[in-house]
Amino acid sequence: MQSGTIRGSIYGEGNDTLTNYGSITDGIFIRGGLADVINAGAGHFYGGIEIGEGTVSNIGPDAVIKGGVDLYLGTPGSIYNSGTIDGRVAFNGGNVMNIGASAFINGGITDLGGAASIFNSGTIDGDVYLDGGGTVINSGTIYGSTYALGFAQFDDPTGGGIQNRLVVNPGAVFVGRVNAAGENPNTLNSATLEFASGASAGTLSGIGTQFTGFGTIVIDTSAAWLLSGDSAGLAAAQTISGFTSADTLDLTDFAATSVSFINTGDLVLANATANATLDLTGNFSTGDFVIHGDGNNGTLIEEVTCFTKGTRIAADRGEIAVEDLKMGDLVRTLHAGPQPVKWIGTRTYAAPFANHAKVLPVCIKAGALAAGVPARDLYVSPGHAICIDNALIRAALLVNGVSITHLNSAESISYFHIELANHEVVLAENCPAESFAGEYFRPAFHNAAEYERLYPGDGAPEHLCLPHLNSGFQLAAIQRRLRGRAGLADCPASVAGSLRGYIDAISETLVSGWAQSTDDPELPVCLDIFAGGKRVGRVLANVFRQDVRDAGFGKGYHGFECPLPADTGGSVTIRRSIDQAMLGVANLPQARAA
């Protein structure tokens, strides 16, 4: 042990241990045999460390090794760093652990031939290169020049079965290419790209461009990831496993208009001119997937099925907010009468992860499906199925932009899903919607472990009580009917009669009032808002107003409020969307109405 200053180098022949708390100006060289070097506290090695085999530990945020570390013999060694190694690390297999926010390797890492394991939760400034195969686990940052990480060969040449594997934790950063295909970065091989679970959802882009050569993609249990890549990275025979409703795949170079799952494990995306096929392992059916455009000529692939917090569920003791239901409570079902709640799954998303198409809720507005259905606005996840005409239809397929909308943003979202003994249709805000089904999706919930403790070896219902409707004439007819009910102009047969009501308040930011069609007084009216002759908004008049009810105009669900865009200029007029009939104006002192 030394705690002073040694101005020069230290040489040894092996079987040595050196602990340094001071300063060694020219480094340490131990040529043969095992050696353990510990640099701790404010210890400094100014000339680097070379040992034949053994362990180098650089412990503490103030510990510094300048000149790098070299374990140059063929026997695997170990390097532990929570301080600073200012220089390249070279070793012949074994472990390199760069652990902690202050851990810093300035010069990169080279494995010279042995099977290696590298763990990084700090910063590695320099490329990482594994010549002998092994595993890299990164939750920190790796800065490379051309390459952040490179694997030299496909598998262990000795036949030991070692395969290249990169494990990415949420928050990990890679600057530079990550290549698992040896000398040819465009070759696909058996290397694994694995995505781990963490305290938050993770995102990774560039699979196929920045991340190349991986033949297997694995999403760990309980993980939640948004993975973006092109066809070379996701649809070139890579095996993708572990995908659940918590995950989203973004195929960035293919704009799909339809999706189908083949029981051989192929998820086929198609448009008018081409197909793209993802090798997606799991117990899926076509109805498990919803696709959306990603806003940049690509396709988002997702599946989400939950109620939002606050949704009222019909139970034997009244309408109960879903988060207040308890296991054992009896809930009403459409076909099987009262059924006890077996389990309630929950998960929460915070911004920015909440602001994603697969997460943001769909709002089915009051009266959108039928009179009193839903009884008030119902918010569900895009993949949650609603029962219409004795079929199950995912909410995302019902969106029409007026009576059924997809939210644009949210600070946070809490989702809940009710599991019964069998797959059933429950009543949420008086709207028939499905209960939980499919054990494959359980890991998406934050409290999945609770179920395992309560029901070891048990699983969720797999048999659906009704068929899923994902395409075809029946779905098109339902969509057209709901658009007509919303009063959209391309479905004119549903609303007729004169328009009555008033604009009764206008400010710089908001316009409100009420509207009703005389021939179908309980049907919500779709209204277009114009300012200065330009349409600036669209709203559905379905909000309850006691004064309208007291005046004898039906049940009173005819009110509306619509925000006005900033700097809206000119007079405000409101017209019924279906026929442009003008809504009347009350006596407004501040009237901007025409």
Side-chain angles (χ1 to χ4, degrees):
M1 177 185 296
Q2 89 89 23
S3 56
T5 299
I6 298 178
R7 302 186 185 280
S9 302
I10 296 178
Y11 293 88
E13 294 299 326
N15 298 316
D16 297 314
T17 298
L18 173 64
T19 301
N20 177 48
Y21 291 95
S23 174
I24 299 177
T25 59
D26 289 338
I28 180 170
F29 306 91
I30 300 177
R31 296 294 184 180
L34 289 169
D36 292 318
V37 179
I38 301 171
N39 189 48
H44 282 65
F45 281 94
Y46 286 99
I49 297 175
E50 289 188 18
I51 61 175
E53 52 186 296
T55 299
V56 174
S57 300
N58 191 48
I59 301 172
D62 297 323
V64 177
I65 299 174
K66 288 185 173 291
V69 176
D70 187 358
L71 277 65
Y72 61 86
L73 294 182
T75 302
S78 295
I79 300 169
Y80 302 91
N81 178 50
S82 59
T84 297
I85 298 178
D86 192 1
R88 193 159 186 84
V89 171
F91 68 122
N92 284 283
N95 299 315
V96 175
M97 303 184 70
N98 192 50
I99 304 299
S102 61
F104 183 38
I105 296 176
N106 183 25
I109 300 173
T110 299
D111 164 39
L112 301 175
S117 296
I118 298 175
F119 305 85
N120 177 52
S121 61
T123 300
I124 300 172
D125 192 352
D127 56 292
V128 177
Y129 183 77
L130 278 69
D131 190 46
T135 297
V136 176
I137 301 174
N138 184 35
S139 58
T141 300
I142 301 176
Y143 291 97
S145 49
T146 302
Y147 286 96
L149 173 61
F151 295 90
Q153 54 196 36
F154 299 169
D155 297 296
D156 179 12
T158 65
I162 296 173
Q163 295 182 341
N164 295 328
R165 175 170 165 257
L166 170 61
V167 180
V168 183
N169 286 282
V173 175
F174 299 85
V175 179
R177 286 279 297 274
V178 175
N179 172 37
E183 299 300 323
N184 185 355
N186 298 315
T187 301
L188 191 67
N189 64 76
S190 60
T192 296
L193 179 58
E194 182 176 343
F195 296 94
S197 60
S200 61
T203 62
L204 189 87
S205 59
I207 302 175
T209 51
Q210 182 184 3
F211 297 82
T212 57
F214 293 94
T216 301
I217 297 172
V218 176
I219 304 173
D220 288 353
T221 300
S222 299
W225 281 87
L226 167 58
L227 304 178
S228 301
D230 63 9
S231 296
L234 296 176
Q238 292 90 349
T239 299
I240 304 172
S241 64
F243 180 82
T244 73
S245 55
D247 307 308
T248 295
L249 299 176
D250 184 0
L251 189 60
T252 57
D253 62 348
F254 188 86
T257 57
S258 66
V259 60
S260 60
F261 185 78
I262 302 171
N263 58 14
T264 55
D266 290 340
L267 183 67
V268 181
L269 306 179
N271 57 31
T273 59
N275 293 340
T277 301
L278 283 68
D279 184 2
L280 196 65
T281 62
N283 184 23
F284 296 113
S285 65
T286 298
D288 293 326
F289 297 95
V290 177
I291 59 173
H292 304 279
D294 67 358
N296 194 28
N297 297 317
T299 302
L300 294 174
I301 305 161
E302 63 175 10
E303 202 289 332
V304 184
T305 56
C306 296
F307 299 110
T308 59
K309 185 177 181 179
T311 300
R312 298 183 301 186
I313 307 297
D316 65 334
R317 54 190 179 97
E319 288 192 313
I320 309 298
V322 63
E323 67 271 22
D324 294 331
L325 282 172
K326 309 297 183 186
M327 288 183 287
D329 278 346
L330 292 175
V331 296
R332 292 175 53 194
T333 69
L334 201 61
H335 305 108
Q339 294 292 314
V341 173
K342 183 178 180 180
W343 183 70
I344 302 172
T346 181
R347 54 186 169 174
T348 297
Y349 299 91
F353 306 109
N355 291 318
H356 192 277
K358 78 152 206 164
V359 174
L360 287 167
V362 169
C363 175
I364 304 173
K365 295 185 179 180
L369 307 186
V373 182
R376 70 170 185 169
D377 291 357
L378 170 65
Y379 294 85
V380 297
S381 54
H384 202 118
I386 306 300
C387 180
I388 303 175
D389 292 356
N390 214 34
L392 296 172
I393 305 172
R394 298 181 186 279
L397 297 176
L398 300 174
V399 171
N400 57 36
V402 176
S403 63
I404 305 174
T405 60
H406 204 156
L407 268 63
N408 294 321
S409 63
E411 287 298 318
S412 65
I413 301 167
S414 294
Y415 279 127
F416 298 81
H417 212 339
I418 302 166
E419 182 173 347
L420 309 177
N422 298 298
H423 186 243
E424 303 286 357
V425 175
V426 300
L427 295 176
E429 306 295 357
N430 198 40
C431 178
E434 69 175 339
S435 65
F436 179 63
E439 185 62 26
Y440 185 83
F441 302 109
R442 193 179 306 282
F445 296 101
H446 298 326
N447 61 334
E450 174 191 49
Y451 183 91
E452 300 300 327
R453 292 194 302 270
L454 293 171
Y455 308 104
D458 198 0
E462 298 292 342
H463 177 72
L464 299 183
C465 64
L466 292 171
H468 271 291
L469 194 60
N470 300 293
S471 61
F473 294 112
Q474 185 182 358
L475 175 61
I478 291 170
Q479 292 168 328
R480 187 165 54 250
R481 186 176 79 221
L482 297 182
R483 287 175 64 80
R485 183 171 180 79
L488 289 167
D490 58 352
C491 302
S494 298
V495 177
S498 61
L499 177 68
R500 61 188 174 197
Y502 293 100
I503 305 171
D504 55 21
I506 303 177
S507 70
E508 294 299 320
T509 59
L510 186 74
V511 59
S512 63
W514 68 277
Q516 184 187 51
S517 294
T518 58
D519 282 10
D520 197 343
E522 297 308 324
L523 187 67
V525 177
C526 182
L527 301 168
D528 289 329
I529 291 87
F530 293 85
K534 180 181 178 182
R535 196 179 82 176
V536 296
R538 175 171 278 179
V539 67
L540 197 66
N542 68 342
V543 177
F544 178 75
R545 284 185 45 159
Q546 187 67 47
D547 61 331
V548 174
R549 180 174 179 174
D550 292 344
F553 295 112
K555 297 179 180 179
Y557 288 93
H558 309 298
F560 67 87
E561 290 185 352
C562 184
L564 294 174
D567 302 322
T568 298
S571 61
V572 173
T573 60
I574 298 183
R575 299 175 181 270
R576 186 166 57 183
S577 301
I578 193 171
D579 59 2
Q580 297 300 292
M582 182 82 74
L583 190 65
V585 181
N587 183 21
L588 304 178
Q590 79 283 29
R592 295 169 52 200

